[in-house]
């Protein structure tokens, strides 16, 4: 019998703007993974828009997760979180799932900000709680802004020297995760993603599209999650996610859509398994 990998996806549901659950669920389904959502908040649009509604779902989350205590997951994948209480519930969920299945892989996308700025619903206290949550994760995927926030490094743009990036990755591992993937390191006409597990650092290079589309971090983490759930080794999964992102951003650029609309992954989604 073919077993379908099962992933708990903890993220917000943004009605418009292509991010979080509206990215994770289709990507994982197409990659042959059962994606089980835990919505952390419902927004009418993501926070990059000037006008959006936000409903925090923390109150229902304890009972929601408790009812899953009789389920096992191959992976837990979390993204945008709305409150410190959610982070504490997640810590318990991570620990519980690990105690039931030591092979359960925890992928924590440390969503907090971009381009040197926090997202509008985030604050310093939430960043501190996110830093504590890293200790319970196997793999984290901060962008440069988030890597700076987690390590207490001053942000000076997306261009990091190799030594600087590796030092930051080493510092991330001291927070307690097993691996860190720092995404979106800019080098003139390329973008690098750095994978670090404590052994040799691996830089994987992708095409740089100079426009900054929203939601690319969520798409990257979702494809990474799908590749890992399909048992790809981490460095290969990073390459797969990078190649898909590179193709999707170039395609989107050609369509000249507004940046807030995110990347047009739908027309390319059906081909995603060819990247595996
Ligand atoms: O793409 C990360 C993200 C996730 N969820 C919400 C967001 C953002 C980024 O703006 O606003 C609600």
């Amino acid at each position: 019998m073919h077993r379908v990998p099962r992933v708990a996806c903890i993220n917000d549901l943004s009605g418009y703007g292509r991010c979080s659950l509206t990215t994770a669920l289709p990507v994982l389904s197409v990659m042959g993974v059962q994606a089980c959502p835990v919505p952390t908040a419902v927004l009418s649009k993501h926070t990059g828009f000037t006008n959006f509604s936000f409903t925090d779902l923390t109150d229902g989350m304890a009972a929601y997760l408790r009812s899953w205590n009789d389920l096992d997951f191959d992976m837990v994948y979390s993204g945008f979180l709305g409150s410190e209480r959610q982070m504490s519930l997640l810590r318990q969920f991570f620990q519980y799932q690990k105690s039931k299945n030591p092979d359960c892989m925890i992928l924590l996308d440390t969503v907090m900000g971009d381009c040197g700025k926090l997202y509008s619903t985030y604050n310093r206290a939430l960043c501190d709680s996110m830093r504590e949550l890293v200790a319970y994760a196997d793999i984290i995927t901060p962008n440069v802004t988030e890597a700076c926030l987690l390590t207490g490094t001053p942000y000076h743009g997306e261009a990091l020297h190799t030594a600087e990036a590796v030092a930051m990755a080493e510092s991330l591992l001291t927070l307690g995760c097993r691996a860190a993937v720092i995404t979106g390191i800019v080098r003139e006409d390329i973008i690098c993603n750095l994978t670090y597990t404590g052994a040799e650092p691996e830089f994987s290079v992708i095409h740089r599209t100079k426009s900054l589309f929203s939601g690319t971090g969520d798409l990257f983490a979702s494809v990474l999650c799908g590749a890992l759930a399909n048992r790809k080794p981490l460095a290969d999964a990073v390459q797969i996610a990078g190649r898909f992102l590179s193709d999707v951003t170039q395609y989107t650029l050609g369509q000249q859509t507004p940046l807030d609309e995110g990347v047009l992954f739908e027309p390319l989604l059906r081909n995603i398994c060819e990247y595996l």
Side-chain angles (χ1 to χ4, degrees), residues 11-12 14 18-20 43 45-48 54 79-80 111 119 121 214-218:
N11 219 325
D12 73 272
S14 286
R18 295 190 180 89
C19 66
S20 33
L43 293 86
K45 303 173 189 154
H46 69 58
T47 62
F54 182 97
F80 183 93
V111 175
Y119 294 133
T121 53
S214 67
T216 48
D218 296 357

Side-chain angles (χ1 to χ4, degrees), residues 147 151 164-174 177 180 182 194-196:
T151 57
E164 230 178 343
V166 173
M168 228 190 271
E170 280 170 348
S171 170
L172 288 169
L173 259 57
T174 66
C177 55
I182 303 182
L194 166 61
T195 307
Y196 187 65

Side-chain angles (χ1 to χ4, degrees), residues 112-119 142-149 155-159 183-184 186 208 210-214 216 259:
M112 293 184 285
D114 205 359
C115 300
K117 292 204 196 89
L118 288 178
Y119 294 133
N143 59 27
V144 174
T145 301
E146 292 155 352
C148 288
L149 286 165
Y155 173 85
H156 59 75
E158 310 287 313
T183 63
V186 167
R208 178 176 177 207
K210 290 224 165 114
S211 303
L212 283 177
F213 296 105
S214 67
T216 48
L259 300 181

Side-chain angles (χ1 to χ4, degrees), residues 187-243:
R187 295 276 161 77
E188 284 162 23
D189 53 355
I190 55 164
I191 289 187
C192 293
N193 296 315
L194 166 61
T195 307
Y196 187 65
T197 58
E200 202 53 37
E202 295 196 49
F203 283 88
S204 83
V205 169
I206 61 174
H207 174 87
R208 178 176 177 207
T209 307
K210 290 224 165 114
S211 303
L212 283 177
F213 296 105
S214 67
T216 48
D218 296 357
L219 184 59
F220 179 88
S222 299
V223 180
L224 181 75
C225 179
L228 291 168
N230 278 286
R231 302 195 165 272
K232 294 290 174 192
L234 178 60
D236 294 356
V238 169
Q239 294 255 10
I240 289 164
R243 284 207 314 271

